[in-house]
Amino acid sequence: MPEGDTVWNTAKVLRDGLLGAVLTGSDFRVPQLATVDLGGWTVAESASRGKHLLLRLVSPEGRAVSLHSHLRMEGAWRVYAPGERWTGRPAHLIRVVLRTPGSVAVGYHLHDLKLLPTDREAELVGHLGPDLLGSDWDPAEAVRRLSADPARPVAEALLDQRNLAGIGNLYKCELLFLRGVWPWTPVGDVPDLPGMVTLGQRLLSANRGRWTQSTTGSLRRGETSYVYGRRAQPCRRCAGPISKDGEGERITYWCPHCQPTHHTT
């Protein structure tokens, strides 16, 4: 699942390609929006909220609507020049095409695609916790939400977007390694939870604006992470083997030596 910085970058791509432009046409390839035509609408804003994308549009009469999408594991937006070949993904994965005089935005394999009045966005994203890359970032509120369930494993709590919005598997694993915390430690037993939350925000902010995500400071291939994607490889701190647990969207990587098992009393 994409991290918050990837979604932020995607929102910027749409903002750079569409902001202020009047749509000359739209093509929705999902049943619930198949008859919608946004021709004549102006792109007013492109924003991210955690892992959600919100493209805000205004009609010639001043009506404001938001096109909501979620990338999940496979989704992507690409912006092309008129006449340019669409090379992002196979054509059968296209879910929406938005055309302007100067660009064409193509959404591939998007999830939760919805169109709703902008003043009702909270129905889709109002449950989210503070956005690590948003203007509403509030570390104290993030800590409060995380602490509300002290028995919950910290790795699970960090992925819950209701606590804080934007952390996925990569940052979860890297953050816990950097703090030396065993992933299944109960939240209530995590030392310096505010420090962990602050570091998480710093990690995402450091990668905002670039597609290569690095938590080590290096952008060289194979050197961008401490534990994520490195099962059985030597830990960069202790040289012991990195462990992996889980499958799909809930994979956890950690170093058993640097993140020792937490024993409750």
Side-chain angles (χ1 to χ4, degrees), residues 9-176:
N9 289 344
T10 301
K12 184 178 186 301
V13 167
L14 291 172
R15 186 162 57 247
D16 292 345
L18 301 177
L19 190 65
V22 177
L23 297 181
T24 56
S26 63
D27 177 12
F28 286 94
R29 303 182 186 181
V30 292
Q32 68 272 22
L33 297 175
T35 61
V36 171
D37 179 12
L38 294 175
W41 290 64
T42 300
V43 180
E45 192 172 1
S46 174
S48 63
R49 184 78 175 82
K51 299 182 181 183
H52 300 253
L53 277 165
L54 295 162
L55 195 63
R56 297 169 180 140
L57 306 117
V58 178
S59 73
E61 302 77 31
R63 189 158 61 95
V65 301
S66 296
L67 178 60
H68 168 270
S69 61
H70 198 296
L71 302 183
R72 293 197 190 170
M73 290 289 286
E74 316 91 349
W77 280 94
R78 298 286 187 269
V79 176
Y80 304 100
E84 182 181 357
R85 185 166 173 242
W86 300 352
T87 58
R89 302 283 172 85
H92 73 273
L93 294 179
I94 294 173
R95 299 294 180 262
V96 59
V97 179
L98 302 175
R99 300 179 185 274
T100 77
S103 61
V104 182
V106 182
Y108 298 92
H109 216 310
L110 301 175
H111 298 266
D112 305 327
L113 200 60
K114 292 183 178 65
L115 200 62
L116 78 167
T118 297
D119 60 10
R120 289 173 48 198
E121 283 181 357
E123 294 177 15
L124 298 178
V125 298
H127 66 288
L128 299 174
D131 185 344
L132 288 133
L133 296 180
S135 58
D136 71 327
W137 172 239
D138 183 345
E141 175 62 13
V143 170
R144 186 192 71 77
R145 292 186 179 216
L146 285 166
S147 302
D149 188 354
R152 192 177 192 184
V154 63
E156 183 181 310
L158 287 172
L159 288 179
D160 189 335
Q161 303 300 293
R162 295 170 297 182
N163 291 329
L164 64 172
I167 287 182
N169 275 327
L170 185 153
Y171 287 114
K172 173 201 74 178
C173 297
E174 295 293 285
L175 179 57
L176 292 172

Side-chain angles (χ1 to χ4, degrees), residues 171-187:
Y171 287 114
K172 173 201 74 178
C173 297
E174 295 293 285
L175 179 57
L176 292 172
F177 172 80
L178 288 168
R179 299 296 296 185
V181 175
W182 185 55
W184 294 273
T185 302
V187 169

